[in-house]
């Protein structure tokens, strides 16, 4: 069956179809349009999607959602963004799937991908999830609009950087299960304190369907605040964390030589032993949240454990590669997608466990507001604890960290990713372990790509 017909699109958006057509996908980025996709021509501050209609059809688009003239197959509407939301609502309304929403300051994309892997292991091909980090006001309705009617479980990531954003997104997703992975300093330029961030993340619970489950991080200092936010909407509240008082917690953890962690977890009255393939206790915490959701969804915990054991690293979020350097190989840990103080500390702790010389390529953390200098300077101690021998600091906001490291660790402070790559390449030696992490806007993915020619 097609994902959408022209008649369906016109009916749910109030638009007018140029004729009969069907589509099997939806995209609003013309670069991502594939055969038989619906191209949604969004109009934004920077550009107008209508400029790329010819390109979309040249790439095989089956139709377009437009607000103006279009020579190809299309549905014309008054407002393409509102129509995209309408399409998302309609996709949500027509499915009988169990819907899971995921948010948090850190770990939401990783948890979403791990949850998809855990559920897909039991019902392959029947689980839908948002791709990449499509978690904002356009990404969430797009992800919903892409969901086939026959989906049995849908997993949707929701993000925010201002109060009220999640309150709207959760009304589109209407989850049966809602997860908050963690609360940490992120987007603090837009919030007075961490409690306000917790309140904004807690908005996800307001969209819970009747009988829904809220999953809350027990170890968070904002646990009680999140529980209070969930209580009016959730029929059941489940906590997860490393503390044994959490509903879902580890009774045993053991780091393996591979960097993976063997975990025995208590999930309510049951126990599950599994291996978390990705290194670090932050991944153990993610896994506990995933198991709580799998259990709440009534899915197979044993198969979920197998999926977590096989889960590879995500590009920009822990993917690992051995790259060729003069005389041998070096390990590159790609955490280039994003960064905040909590995730920086977590990944530096992972680096600390690796053998060999430790090199950290750290990009500035953005949207931290008036406390930015302090947050950057405070990374000095985790860097020392990780036994970093050389730090490459990227971006103007790293100046306070450079001052804090003076005389304590060898470091180089550069302006941009290109300069970082130029300084990094000649210093690499066999056996090195290199962590690359920073806010996405710094562009450290280009450093990873620049080393990838020697990847094995």
């Amino acid at each position: 069956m097609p994902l959408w017909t022209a008649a369906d699109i016109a009916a749910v958006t109030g638009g007018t179809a140029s004729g009969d057509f069907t589509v099997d996908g939806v995209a609003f980025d013309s670069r991502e349009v594939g055969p038989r996709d619906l191209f949604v021509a969004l109009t934004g501050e920077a550009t107008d999607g209508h400029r790329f209609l010819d390109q979309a059809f040249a790439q095989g688009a089956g139709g377009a959602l437009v607000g103006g003239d279009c020579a190809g197959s299309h549905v014309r509407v008054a407002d393409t963004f509102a129509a995209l939301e309408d399409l998302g609502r309609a996709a949500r309304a027509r499915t009988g799937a169990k819907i899971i929403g995921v948010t948090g300051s850190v770990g939401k994309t990783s948890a979403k991908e791990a949850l998809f892997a855990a559920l897909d292991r039991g019902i392959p091909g029947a689980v839908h999830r948002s791709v990449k980090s499509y978690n904002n006001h356009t990404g969430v309705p797009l992800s919903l609009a892409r969901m086939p009617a026959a989906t049995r479980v849908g997993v949707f990531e929701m993000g925010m950087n201002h109060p009220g954003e999640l309150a709207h997104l959760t009304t589109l997703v209407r989850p049966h299960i809602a997860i908050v992975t963690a609360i940490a300093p992120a987007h603090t330029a837009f919030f007075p304190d961490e409690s306000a961030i917790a309140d904004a993340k807690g908005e996800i619970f307001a969209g819970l369907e009747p009988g829904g489950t809220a999953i809350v991080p027990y170890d968070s200092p904002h646990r009680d605040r999140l529980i209070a936010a969930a209580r009016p909407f959730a029929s059941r509240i489940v906590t997860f964390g490393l503390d044994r008082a959490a509903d879902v917690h580890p009774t045993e953890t053991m780091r393996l030589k591979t960097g993976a962690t063997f975990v025995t977890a208590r999930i309510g009255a049951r126990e599950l032993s599994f291996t978390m393939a990705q290194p670090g206790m932050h991944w153990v915490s993610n896994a506990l949240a995933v198991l709580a959701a799998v259990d709440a969804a009534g899915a197979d915990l044993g198969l979920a454990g197998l999926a977590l054991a096989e889960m590879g690293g995500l590009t920009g979020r822990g993917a690992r590669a051995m790259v060729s350097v003069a005389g041998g190989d070096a390990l590159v840990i790609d955490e280039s997608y994003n960064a905040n103080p909590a995730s920086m500390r977590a990944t530096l702790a992972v680096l600390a466990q690796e053998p060999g010389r430790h090199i950290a390529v750290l990009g500035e953390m953005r949207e931290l507001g008036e406390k930015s200098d302090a947050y950057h300077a405070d990374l000095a101690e985790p860097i020392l604890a990780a036994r970093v021998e050389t730090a490459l600091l990227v971006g103007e906001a790293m100046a306070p960290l450079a001052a804090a490291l003076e005389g304590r660790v060898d470091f180089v402070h550069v302006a941009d990713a290109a300069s970082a790559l130029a300084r990094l390449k000649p210093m690499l030696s066999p056996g090195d372990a290199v962590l690359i992490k920073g806010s996405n806007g710094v562009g450290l993915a280009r450093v990873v790509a620049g080393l990838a020619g020697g990847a094995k």
Side-chain angles (χ1 to χ4, degrees):
M1 292 180 61
L3 181 65
W4 295 103
T5 67
D8 289 338
I9 297 167
V12 302
T13 63
T16 303
S18 64
D20 292 334
F21 64 87
T22 61
V23 295
D24 295 326
V26 186
F28 56 58
D29 185 334
S30 60
R31 296 166 296 185
E32 296 181 357
V33 172
R36 294 177 57 81
D37 277 351
L38 176 72
F39 174 57
V40 183
L42 296 178
T43 301
E45 294 179 4
T47 189
D48 184 347
H50 294 84
R51 293 172 48 203
F52 303 100
L53 285 167
D54 289 345
Q55 176 184 335
F57 283 113
Q59 290 172 202
L65 191 59
V66 299
D69 294 336
C70 177
S73 298
H74 67 273
V75 173
R76 184 167 180 169
V77 295
D79 182 328
T80 52
F81 173 70
L84 177 62
E85 285 202 334
D86 288 338
L87 210 58
R89 288 190 187 94
R92 175 64 183 88
R94 72 183 182 180
T95 185
K98 183 80 72 174
I99 302 297
I100 305 172
V102 184
T103 193
S105 302
V106 292
K108 53 185 176 291
T109 301
S110 299
K112 178 256 299 180
E113 291 296 325
L115 188 51
F116 171 80
L119 293 165
D120 188 65
R121 185 67 180 256
I123 45 173
V127 184
H128 173 79
R129 96 288 205 180
S130 43
V131 299
K132 299 184 179 179
S133 289
Y134 280 170
N135 60 25
N136 64 3
H137 66 291
T138 53
V140 169
L142 175 73
S143 298
L144 284 166
R146 289 172 163 176
M147 180 169 57
T151 295
R152 291 176 58 187
V153 183
V155 185
F156 296 92
E157 178 182 342
M158 288 178 268
M160 63 87 205
N161 56 20
H162 288 85
E165 289 183 72
L166 271 177
H168 175 64
L169 295 178
T170 195
T171 63
L172 297 176
V173 174
R174 294 191 289 115
H176 298 97
I177 301 165
I179 304 169
V180 175
T181 57
I183 304 297
H187 311 299
T188 53
F190 310 115
F191 295 92
D193 52 34
E194 250 187 46
S195 295
I197 296 173
D199 290 341
K201 294 296 185 183
E203 292 171 10
I204 192 175
F205 301 127
L208 276 169
E209 290 287 272
T213 300
I215 298 177
V216 173
Y218 186 91
D219 301 328
S220 171
H222 308 288
R223 174 192 66 224
D224 293 342
R225 201 176 194 97
L226 291 169
I227 289 174
R231 192 169 285 122
F233 308 103
S235 293
R236 182 178 176 225
I237 298 173
V238 177
T239 60
F240 71 92
L242 303 181
D243 194 300
R244 285 177 175 251
D247 297 318
V248 179
H249 65 268
T251 59
E252 177 189 15
T253 61
M254 181 173 63
R255 186 178 184 273
L256 306 179
K257 289 182 179 180
T258 60
T261 306
F262 177 79
V263 183
T264 298
R266 170 76 62 177
I267 304 107
R270 291 179 288 174
E271 274 197 354
L272 174 71
S273 293
F274 67 98
T275 299
M276 183 64 241
Q278 294 305 301
M281 292 306 292
H282 61 299
W283 263 108
V284 173
S285 181
N286 283 342
L288 297 171
V290 166
L291 293 177
V294 169
D295 185 52
D300 191 309
L301 285 169
L303 292 178
L306 291 175
L308 293 173
E310 296 171 357
M311 188 173 175
L314 307 177
T315 300
R317 293 182 172 88
R320 293 174 166 230
M322 298 302 296
V323 300
S324 296
V325 299
D329 301 324
L331 169 66
V332 173
I333 305 170
D334 175 14
E335 288 277 357
S336 61
Y337 183 77
N338 221 336
N340 59 44
S343 64
M344 279 285 201
R345 289 173 179 270
T347 50
L348 282 164
V350 170
L351 179 64
Q353 301 297 319
E354 297 299 330
R357 182 176 64 149
H358 295 168
I359 298 173
V361 182
L362 305 178
E364 63 187 21
M365 302 176 291
R366 297 183 174 176
E367 296 185 351
L368 292 180
E370 62 184 18
K371 296 182 179 180
S372 177
D373 286 358
Y375 283 131
H376 283 88
D378 285 348
L379 293 179
E381 297 308 320
I383 287 171
L384 292 169
R387 297 176 288 107
V388 172
E389 295 187 31
T390 303
L392 269 166
L393 311 180
V394 188
E396 183 179 351
M398 278 295 191
L401 177 56
L405 292 176
E406 189 71 47
R408 305 169 77 187
V409 172
D410 287 338
F411 70 89
V412 179
H413 188 191
V414 297
D416 52 37
S419 301
L421 179 62
R423 299 297 292 266
L424 176 63
K425 277 188 169 182
M427 72 171 61
L428 291 179
S429 298
D432 286 348
V434 185
L435 170 66
I436 302 175
K437 186 168 183 65
S439 284
N440 194 38
V442 181
L444 293 188
R446 293 193 289 274
V447 177
V448 177
L451 299 174
K456 293 188 172 183

